[in-house]
Amino acid sequence: MTNQNAQGQSAFESQAQTAGIHHITAFVRDPQVTSDFYAGVLGLRLVKKTINFDAPEVYHLYFGDQTGSPGTIITFFPWKDSRKGSIGGGQVGITTYVVPASAYEFWKVRLAKLGVEFQESERFGERYLQFADPDGLRGEIVAREEGANSEWSFGGVPADKAIKGFGGAVLFSTAPESTGRLLENVMGLTKVGEDVGYVRYRSFGDLGNIIDVNRAAMAPGHGGHGTVHHIAWRAKDDAEHALWRSHVASSGYQPTPIVDRQYFNALYFREEGGILFEIATDPPGFARDEEPEHLGEKLMLPEWYEQHRGEIERLLTPFEVRALEGI
Ligand code: ZN
C-alpha cells in the first residue's frame, strides 16, 4: 500500500459509515406465491428477474421501489424443494418496511381485506403491523415521515401509500452485544435508544436506517425457506467498497473477495452473532441491462450464462406479476 493509500484507508476507518441497508435476501419456495405476496399484496415492483449466479437453476428475484433503489430491495431465491428453515439467532428476524406517515390505516385495512393475518405491536413509541409471508418470513410495516415516497403504484396501492423501502430490520443474534458493537464500531451506526428487549441503532440514510437488535442471545436459527439468508449494507461506489473490505478485515472479520453481482459488487462476512453481512455498492443498479420502464419483464442473465439460456429457462417455473383479484 502506498503512503497515500494508507492515509486514505486510515481516514476512512476512523469515520466509516454505511448509509444503511442496501438489500435483504431470503429463501422461499415458489416464485408465483412470492410475487403474489410482494407485488400483489405489498405492491412492490419486480425490478429484476435473474438467476442465482451460484445455482443457475434457481431464480433470483428482486423487488423494490420504481428503480430498485438501494434501501428498498428485498430479494428471493425460490427453491421448491428446500427444507423449512427456522427463524432464530444469526438472522434478520423481522424485515421492516416503511410507509408514508399517513398510510398506516390504509395498510391495516388492506392486509385485513387480503386475508393477511397481522398483529399490532409497539417498540420505541412506534406502531408496527407485523405479519408473516406465505413461507413464514416475518415482516412488519411502520409509518414514518422520513424517506422519499415511492413513485410506484401497483395492484391497488397508490404511490402516496406505497412502501417507500426498508424502515430497517430487527436482528436476532446469538451474541447481541457483539453484533451491536459491530454496528457501532465498524459499520458506523449510532446507538440511539433502548427499549424493553431491544437496542436501536441508526445510520445516516433515510431508508433502511433503523436497526433494532433483540437483546436476547438467541439460539441459532436454521437456514431454509422462510428465513433471511443475509443483509447487505451500502457502499457508495467501488472505491469506497475496497476501503470497506480492508476496514472489515482489519476489524477482525474475514471478508470474501469482491464478487460481481451484475447490479452491484458484493463482499460477505459472518459476524460474531452469526448473521451473514454483505456490503454492496450502490452502482450500477438495475437499469444497466433493461430500460427503466421495462425492469423485471424478461429473464436477465449475465453474459457468462447467456449461452446456456435455453437450458436455464427450461429449469425455471414461469410466473407472472399480477394484481390480486377483488381489489
Ligand atoms: Zn446479497
Side-chain angles (χ1 to χ4, degrees), residues 32-288:
Q32 187 65 63
V33 170
T34 297
S35 177
D36 284 349
F37 191 81
Y38 288 90
V41 175
L42 296 187
L44 298 173
R45 184 179 191 187
L46 177 68
V47 292
K48 195 62 62 182
K49 178 163 63 171
T50 183
I51 54 172
N52 181 341
F53 298 164
D54 302 323
E57 70 282 10
V58 175
Y59 279 120
H60 194 180
L61 307 178
Y62 292 79
F63 295 85
D65 71 355
Q66 66 281 354
T67 55
S69 311
T72 76
I73 315 154
I74 180 85
T75 99
F76 299 99
F77 296 126
W79 185 17
K80 206 178 294 173
D81 299 323
S82 59
R83 66 175 181 179
K84 171 84 179 142
S86 66
I87 296 173
Q91 295 174 1
V92 171
I94 309 173
T95 299
T96 309
Y97 301 92
V98 65
V99 300
S102 63
Y104 186 88
E105 288 302 317
F106 170 89
W107 282 96
K108 197 171 159 180
V109 169
R110 180 176 174 82
L111 293 181
K113 189 167 71 175
L114 295 175
V116 177
E117 284 181 33
F118 62 87
Q119 292 186 321
E120 290 188 86
S121 162
E122 198 173 310
R123 288 196 312 276
F124 297 96
E126 295 182 302
R127 285 190 299 167
Y128 292 83
L129 293 168
Q130 298 189 318
F131 54 85
D133 85 353
D135 283 294
L137 276 166
R138 293 177 65 186
E140 62 184 9
I141 288 172
V142 66
R144 291 182 188 140
E145 294 284 350
E146 65 183 339
N149 278 7
S150 175
E151 293 165 24
W152 188 247
S153 167
F154 183 75
V157 183
D160 68 344
K161 300 286 191 286
I163 287 173
K164 297 192 270 193
F166 296 123
V170 180
L171 303 185
F172 288 180
S173 173
T174 61
E177 288 179 12
S178 301
T179 301
R181 278 197 295 274
L182 165 65
L183 291 175
E184 273 193 289
N185 300 338
V186 181
M187 305 310 296
L189 276 64
T190 304
K191 182 171 164 179
V192 292
E194 298 187 22
D195 197 353
V196 181
Y198 298 93
V199 184
R200 173 161 284 194
Y201 300 86
R202 175 185 278 273
S203 63
F204 72 83
D206 59 11
L207 285 176
N209 57 339
I210 294 183
I211 307 300
D212 290 343
V213 177
N214 190 313
R215 300 174 80 144
M218 299 178 76
H222 298 285
H225 70 256
T227 64
V228 169
H229 181 252
H230 65 264
I231 180 169
W233 306 92
R234 295 174 62 182
K236 73 175 182 190
D237 55 25
D238 287 343
E240 193 189 271
H241 203 221
L243 294 170
W244 272 111
R245 189 174 185 284
S246 306
H247 175 46
V248 165
S250 68
S251 303
Y253 299 90
Q254 277 92 47
T256 64
I258 289 171
V259 287
D260 177 0
R261 295 305 189 198
Q262 280 297 84
Y263 310 105
F264 46 85
N265 284 329
L267 64 86
Y268 306 84
F269 64 99
R270 196 166 299 275
E271 56 90 38
E272 290 149 289
I275 306 168
L276 184 59
F277 275 22
E278 174 182 340
I279 298 176
T281 54
D282 283 359
F286 297 99
R288 74 165 284 179

